[in-house]
Amino acid sequence: MMRNWAKFKLALRHPAAARERFRAWYRPKRRIARLVRKKKLIAPPPITVSINLTHLCNLRCKMCGQWRRRDIYRKEILPLAKLKELIDDVGGFKPKIYLWGGEPLLYPEIGELLRYLREKKQYVILNTNGVLLERYAEAIVNSGVNGLDISLDGPAAIHDEIRQVEGTFEKVMAGVRRVKMHQKKTGRKDPMMKVVCTISEMNQSWLVETLELVEASGLFDALIFNLGWFTTEEIGEANRRVFRKYLGCDSLSWKEFVGALGDVDPEKIKRLREEISCRRKGGALPVFFIPPIPPAQIETYYSRPALPLGKKICFSPWLNPDIRPNGDVTFCADFPDYIIGNINEKPFREIWNGEKAKKFRRVLIERGLFPICSRCCGLYAY
């Protein structure tokens, strides 16, 4: 009950975030589920448009498949003019704009981009490792960014070891304090600041300590424990066969995510959830788990990674495209093997319900989830 009260207070403090959360629940449950049942391939305008601003990153996180597949050395980016064109194209249906990377604060014109999004009154979430927050704190607050998803893996020594750059934890905390300072100075409540802690073998023994650290800091609005996205060789090879047969393309992007989390002990996560449920403070920090599965399924999540835990369909192809740094558009942000178009060649609206997009939706409806879907973030997002 108290935990629900904490979430209610969070909604009162950030009503725009509460509206977005409701929209992300209501439309899939009502409209998209009906479209899928009727095998409709034309999707309504997306509720979220994810923009991967750059592959570049200033960290080398041990559980991240992106840098292991050498994405971080790819320097292509979309020019600001093209991003403005995209924002204008999607602006009419007011999606949530989700900026990520790589590290999005390494995008050369990030300040101007944020100002343009504010001018267009877009709801914006920025996913960042936090290292550059201190430099961009004022621009983030003044541009009206609605939310920051900030990576934090545990106490300082654990966080720095996982991120493989010394001093990273202190830079993140200094940046968060600077954001808070500008919020106080301007009287703004946004951005809502959420810690995102990806659980892995490397930090699983410090999860309760991480909870206590984040709560005691008083700097954050919420804490998300991410059970992590991973796959196996068997699942990946099965996905290659399916993609070749039904979609006419190969699937290789999963390879660097095999074993990315190490050997996670489900009992340690269960103990964390017990600790959270035992807390009865009315002002307790809201804590979420992604995916939001019940404790009884945690062991299955890690021991049977091919099992999609009751999910029969992924709604992301009807709700959430991802724009890559080279302009490619895909439905699968982490596994971008099937490309439905490129915004350098066609306007987004044409791509969204183009033939390649409809083909993907058709195959998904007719044969069911792809093997790689079982532990992908998109499957559990809606």
Side-chain angles (χ1 to χ4, degrees), residues 14-48:
H14 298 278
R19 288 195 299 271
E20 285 297 319
R21 186 173 176 82
F22 176 78
R23 188 166 70 142
W25 167 82
Y26 183 82
R27 187 188 285 185
K29 185 175 177 63
R30 302 294 182 183
R31 188 175 183 183
I32 303 304
R34 186 166 60 249
L35 291 177
V36 171
R37 283 196 302 270
K38 293 181 178 181
K39 299 183 178 181
K40 300 293 185 181
L41 305 181
I42 298 294
I47 63 173
T48 299

Side-chain angles (χ1 to χ4, degrees), residues 114-232:
L114 294 178
R115 284 190 290 273
Y116 193 74
L117 286 164
R118 176 177 174 79
E119 179 184 323
K120 295 298 179 177
K121 297 182 171 58
Q122 292 286 0
Y123 185 92
V124 178
I125 301 292
L126 182 68
N127 182 317
T128 176
N129 61 35
V131 172
L132 298 174
L133 265 183
E134 193 168 14
R135 180 188 304 175
Y136 290 104
E138 185 173 3
I140 287 169
V141 174
N142 290 342
S143 63
V145 169
N146 299 92
L148 289 175
D149 289 355
I150 303 168
S151 300
L152 206 63
D153 297 319
I158 302 303
H159 179 84
D160 288 0
E161 181 181 352
I162 292 173
R163 299 279 155 172
Q164 300 199 81
V165 177
E166 189 176 350
T168 297
F169 180 89
E170 290 304 328
K171 288 182 180 178
V172 173
M173 298 304 287
V176 172
R177 288 190 291 269
R178 182 65 63 89
V179 171
K180 283 290 186 183
M181 183 188 77
H182 284 293
Q183 284 179 318
K184 185 176 180 180
K185 183 178 178 180
T186 60
R188 300 181 187 272
K189 293 181 179 179
D190 284 342
M192 178 171 69
M193 290 195 283
K194 303 190 297 291
V195 167
V196 181
C197 177
T198 299
I199 297 173
S200 68
E201 180 182 6
M202 296 161 282
N203 68 354
Q204 62 182 339
S205 297
W206 289 271
L207 297 177
V208 173
E209 188 176 344
T210 302
L211 167 64
E212 293 172 345
L213 182 155
V214 172
E215 203 161 42
S217 74
L219 295 171
F220 301 97
D221 297 292
L223 168 58
I224 296 173
F225 282 108
N226 187 332
L227 300 188
W229 319 116
F230 63 100
T231 192
T232 66

